[in-house]
Amino acid sequence: MVDVPVRTPDGVILGRIGDLTVRVGDHPGPVLVTQLLVVRRGAPDQLVPWSAVRDFRHTGVVLESGAGTDIDAVDNILSADELLLKRDVLDVQIMDVAGQRIARVADVVLGGVAGGGIELVGVD
């Protein structure tokens, strides 16, 4: 999903998906995508809450509104239990419980959930 276009409701390209955030704290239930990091040319990047996403497909994303939060540095905005899937998970070394290196993460598997959310299902 990285680099797919993000459009406003009227079809104007706002930018491209740079990353997706998830919260991994101590909470029951699925790990859901909480925000999109939208990378824009000639303008500050934006963090857009998942609640503003109208349509999420491999061909692009359409927002309910064009409003996101302009950011200078994503690390200053994320909460302590929030991860960026591309930056913090892809290409990370996986180890087993005995501390042996197994592999690097090549893909993040996402799946839809009831109500229109996206869940982190696993890594490959």
Side-chain angles (χ1 to χ4, degrees):
M1 293 303 299
V2 173
D3 291 331
V4 300
V6 177
R7 291 182 170 82
T8 61
D10 56 356
V12 175
I13 294 179
L14 179 65
R16 297 194 167 273
I17 292 180
D19 218 325
L20 304 170
T21 69
V22 294
R23 286 221 160 125
V24 294
D26 294 331
H27 58 79
V31 175
L32 299 175
V33 171
T34 55
Q35 299 183 91
L36 308 177
L37 175 63
V38 179
V39 177
R40 304 185 305 164
R41 271 197 191 146
D45 294 344
Q46 285 191 338
L47 271 178
V48 177
W50 184 259
S51 60
V53 175
R54 176 188 294 173
D55 193 25
F56 187 82
R57 299 176 192 256
H58 70 279
T59 55
V61 175
V62 177
L63 302 178
E64 289 289 346
S65 66
T69 303
D70 287 356
I71 59 171
D72 291 327
V74 72
D75 289 330
N76 297 336
I77 303 296
L78 298 179
S79 60
D81 66 342
E82 205 165 15
L83 297 175
L84 289 162
L85 292 177
K86 177 183 172 189
R87 184 192 76 182
D88 300 327
V89 178
L90 282 178
D91 201 34
V92 170
Q93 185 75 45
I94 299 293
M95 304 185 71
D96 66 14
V97 293
Q100 299 296 315
R101 293 181 187 167
I102 296 179
R104 289 198 171 279
V105 175
D107 288 308
V108 173
V109 182
L110 302 172
V113 295
I118 298 292
E119 173 184 12
L120 172 61
V121 177
V123 296
D124 182 27

